[in-house]
């Protein structure tokens, strides 16, 4: 039986900060647990937002969960209300 763990680091992109030597908070963070998981894992890249839709976590997260976002997405408000 295969088991999956999907980690969505939503909002982790951030901007570089001078006080962190020009790194983003994620680049400057100590991440031993994430590094250990990654070393034991299989990873890849995935395009989660169709080219004709605005990039946003609401679209990307639905897509990762397997939804056809072009058919089901009705706006962020619907998700927030749920």
């Amino acid at each position: 039986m295969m088991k999956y763990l999907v980690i969505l680091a939503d909002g982790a992109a951030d901007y570089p900060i001078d006080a962190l030597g020009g790194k983003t908070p994620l680049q400057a963070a100590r991440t031993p647990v994430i590094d250990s998981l990654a070393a034991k894992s299989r990873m890849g890249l995935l395009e989660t937002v169709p080219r004709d839709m605005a990039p946003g976590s609401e679209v990307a997260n639905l897509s990762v969960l397997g939804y056809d976002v072009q058919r089901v997405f009705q706006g962020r408000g619907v998700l927030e209300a749920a």
Side-chain angles (χ1 to χ4, degrees):
M1 174 203 275
M2 295 186 92
K3 294 182 180 182
Y4 297 90
L5 172 65
V6 177
I7 298 173
L8 293 170
D10 194 12
D14 221 326
Y15 294 102
I17 298 174
D18 290 338
L20 297 176
K23 294 181 178 181
T24 67
L26 184 59
Q27 289 172 321
R30 290 181 344 136
T31 57
V33 175
I34 293 173
D35 295 343
S36 175
L37 282 171
K40 301 172 191 168
S41 302
R42 197 171 177 191
M43 296 177 286
L45 295 176
L46 172 66
E47 188 171 305
T48 58
V49 179
R51 294 187 188 275
D52 62 341
M53 296 185 79
S57 59
E58 65 279 11
V59 173
N61 291 340
L62 282 172
S63 178
V64 167
L65 293 172
Y67 289 93
D68 178 354
V69 291
Q70 291 180 312
R71 187 175 66 77
V72 302
F73 183 67
Q74 297 179 14
R76 186 177 198 106
V78 175
L79 296 171
E80 303 265 342

